[in-house]
Amino acid sequence: MTLSTSSSPPGPPVIDAVTIASLGATLALLLLAYLAARALLPARASNKDRATFVWLAFDALTHFVLEGSWLWLSTFGRTVQSASGPFATLWQEYTFADARWGRADETVVSIEALTVLAAGPLCVWILYQIVRQDAARHYWIVVLCTAEIYGGAMTFFPEWFTGSSNLNTSHWMYTWVYLAFFNGLWIVIPLALMLDSYWAISGSLRAVQEAEQKHKRK
């Protein structure tokens, strides 16, 4: 599987007002997530729980605000390329790297519909459980992370298997920032959270099992 350059790539990218605004919008969501953690988490919350909260709050905001806006602009006959407004402009910038997002590709629309309508609310539910220090969150974290890793794979695997004609890797901004970094975050971080929750769940189950075995030996 190789990432190939689109057959008709756009002109050289320029770090202009649209690029800065797009990256700034992402940072603004991250700042909101951090402020939410400061306001909602109890003082006794661990650093790991705080980091998890910030990521999941950022995750939820990204799903609702950024991906939600794209979904609205890409359903019922609408497309990003034919739309106008700040969110349309933001997503038109991303289409320089992946043309599918400009024309409402059916596979991407299907994945994003599940992401916005299911993964977003699930993030909020897990945030509520973190605030309450509810250990049951680890099960839902595994569910969420599995879905997000699968969604990332299904977004790009079909494209890679068919020659990557919609991906433009002619410039480092497209390849390493828009495609690799922003999409890679939703693979690496969910994988780390999934492993952490696996250790929490398996450790608890083994402790219960050990206690039951000790009780039986008495």
Side-chain angles (χ1 to χ4, degrees):
M1 290 191 305
T2 58
L3 262 161
S4 64
T5 303
S6 174
S7 57
S8 300
V14 177
I15 300 179
D16 56 10
V18 175
T19 307
I20 295 172
S22 300
L23 297 175
T26 304
L27 292 176
L29 296 182
L30 182 59
L31 177 60
L32 285 175
Y34 172 76
L35 294 175
R38 291 285 302 269
L40 298 175
L41 285 179
R44 66 180 182 278
S46 67
N47 290 334
K48 183 169 66 176
D49 282 350
R50 291 183 184 279
T52 301
F53 186 101
V54 170
W55 166 255
L56 291 174
F58 174 69
D59 195 11
L61 288 168
T62 299
H63 293 333
F64 289 137
V65 178
L66 298 184
E67 292 168 288
S69 67
W70 181 85
L71 188 64
W72 173 258
L73 295 170
S74 302
T75 50
F76 306 110
R78 296 182 291 260
T79 65
V80 163
Q81 293 291 34
S82 63
S84 59
F87 286 110
T89 301
L90 183 152
W91 282 108
Q92 286 163 7
E93 174 74 12
Y94 185 75
T95 63
F96 290 148
D98 190 339
R100 295 173 299 168
W101 297 77
R103 64 171 185 272
D105 176 87
E106 295 88 347
T107 299
V108 177
V109 170
S110 300
I111 293 170
E112 287 302 316
L114 291 172
T115 300
V116 173
L117 300 176
L122 184 53
C123 286
V124 175
W125 173 244
I126 298 170
L127 290 172
Y128 173 73
Q129 291 183 314
I130 294 175
V131 171
R132 291 174 55 85
Q133 297 288 286
D134 186 350
R137 67 185 182 275
H138 289 291
Y139 168 79
W140 294 111
I141 287 174
V142 171
V143 172
L144 173 67
C145 292
T146 300
E148 292 192 322
I149 292 171
Y150 182 80
M154 289 305 297
T155 298
F156 286 100
F157 279 13
E159 184 65 16
W160 291 337
F161 287 143
T162 56
S164 302
S165 61
N166 291 296
L167 304 183
N168 176 23
T169 58
S170 63
H171 192 276
W172 65 267
M173 176 70 80
Y174 300 150
T175 305
W176 299 111
V177 179
Y178 291 174
L179 292 174
F181 178 73
F182 282 117
N183 289 286
L185 284 178
W186 270 267
I187 299 295
V188 175
I189 296 179
L191 182 59
L193 289 176
M194 185 189 297
L195 290 173
D196 179 69
S197 289
Y198 164 77
W199 291 325
I201 293 170
S202 61
S204 297
L205 291 174
R206 286 169 182 147
V208 170
Q209 183 181 46
E210 183 178 348
E212 290 177 346
Q213 290 173 345
K214 289 180 179 179
H215 179 74
K216 289 179 182 179
R217 288 196 294 265
K218 289 182 179 179

